């Protein structure tokens, strides 16, 4: 049985986060499989359940977008119960988000996931513009000096 949804390292990370009382949100591949009510279900088949979707207006990435959202509770092998949020937007491929917090509303899952863009942009800026991608020091004092000089 193949489980292409989440790699082994990600499953281990989810287990550690859950043990510490944290939740995670991540994106699933479109060929992912989960179990809903004991039945093996491809996430792409969730698109056909039109009655489960609701339309919302949401500010994401600085723009107001009209999205169709649906939330499904299922199980992923070695992760346990998860919430899968399907996000449909006109003229774009659907996005499948997985969340370990089963009680978080679908709209909040999308909002939290969208905040990742700012973090990714900040990391890119730190590496490209401030030289954090090139320094090769390991000593804690050298790292502190490098950060102080850069800023």
């Amino acid at each position: 049985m193949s489980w292409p949804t989440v790699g082994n390292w990600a499953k281990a990370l989810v287990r550690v986060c859950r043990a510490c009382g944290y939740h995670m949100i991540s994106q699933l591949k479109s060929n992912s499989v989960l179990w809903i009510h004991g039945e093996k279900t491809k996430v792409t088949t969730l698109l056909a359940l039109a009655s489960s979707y609701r339309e919302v207006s949401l500010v994401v990435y600085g723009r107001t977008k009209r999205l169709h959202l649906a939330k499904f509770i299922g199980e992923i092998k070695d992760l346990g119960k998860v919430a899968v949020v399907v996000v449909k937007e006109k003229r774009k491929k659907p996005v499948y988000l997985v969340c370990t917090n089963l009680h978080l509303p679908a709209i909040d899952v999308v909002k939290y996931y969208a905040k990742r863009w700012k973090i990714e942009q900040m990391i890119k800026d730190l590496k490209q513009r401030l030289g954090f991608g090139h320094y090769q020091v390991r000593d804690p004092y050298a790292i502190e000096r490098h950060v102080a000089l850069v800023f």
Side-chain angles (χ1 to χ4, degrees):
M1 184 179 305
S2 165
W3 294 90
T5 46
V6 184
N8 288 335
W9 67 270
K11 288 179 182 178
L13 180 61
V14 170
R15 283 193 291 274
V16 169
C17 287
R18 279 186 164 165
C20 294
Y22 297 111
H23 291 285
M24 291 184 64
I25 298 172
S26 187
Q27 188 170 349
L28 287 174
K29 293 181 179 179
S30 60
N31 65 348
S32 298
V33 173
L34 68 148
W35 293 84
I36 298 178
H37 304 300
E39 291 186 30
K40 185 177 176 181
T41 309
K42 290 184 178 184
V43 292
T44 53
T45 61
L46 302 175
L47 291 170
L49 304 172
S51 63
S52 301
Y53 289 84
R54 65 185 178 111
E55 187 174 0
V56 297
S57 287
L58 185 63
V59 177
V60 206
Y61 310 124
R63 295 183 181 167
T64 301
K65 297 187 176 200
R66 297 193 66 70
L67 305 172
H68 287 87
L69 305 178
K71 179 179 164 185
F72 304 91
I73 304 295
E75 214 169 307
I76 294 179
K77 186 179 178 188
D78 297 330
L79 289 184
K81 280 193 163 187
V82 294
V84 174
V85 176
V86 182
V87 183
K88 296 193 300 185
E89 186 178 359
K90 268 190 178 176
R91 297 182 196 92
K92 292 193 177 183
K93 289 183 180 179
V95 175
Y96 307 95
L97 302 177
V98 62
C99 179
T100 57
N101 185 344
L102 305 179
H103 306 291
L104 196 63
I107 196 163
D108 289 341
V109 171
V110 174
K111 285 179 185 178
Y112 289 137
Y113 185 76
K115 289 183 181 195
R116 290 176 49 144
W117 177 250
K118 288 182 182 178
I119 295 168
E120 297 292 336
Q121 199 62 42
M122 179 193 68
I123 291 170
K124 179 182 173 186
D125 289 344
L126 285 171
K127 286 181 172 182
Q128 289 183 350
R129 297 180 183 181
L130 299 178
F132 283 96
H134 300 292
Y135 77 93
Q136 297 179 6
V137 295
R138 301 286 183 258
D139 181 61
Y141 296 113
I143 294 170
E144 285 179 19
R145 284 192 294 266
H146 180 79
V147 171
L149 287 170
V150 165
F151 285 120

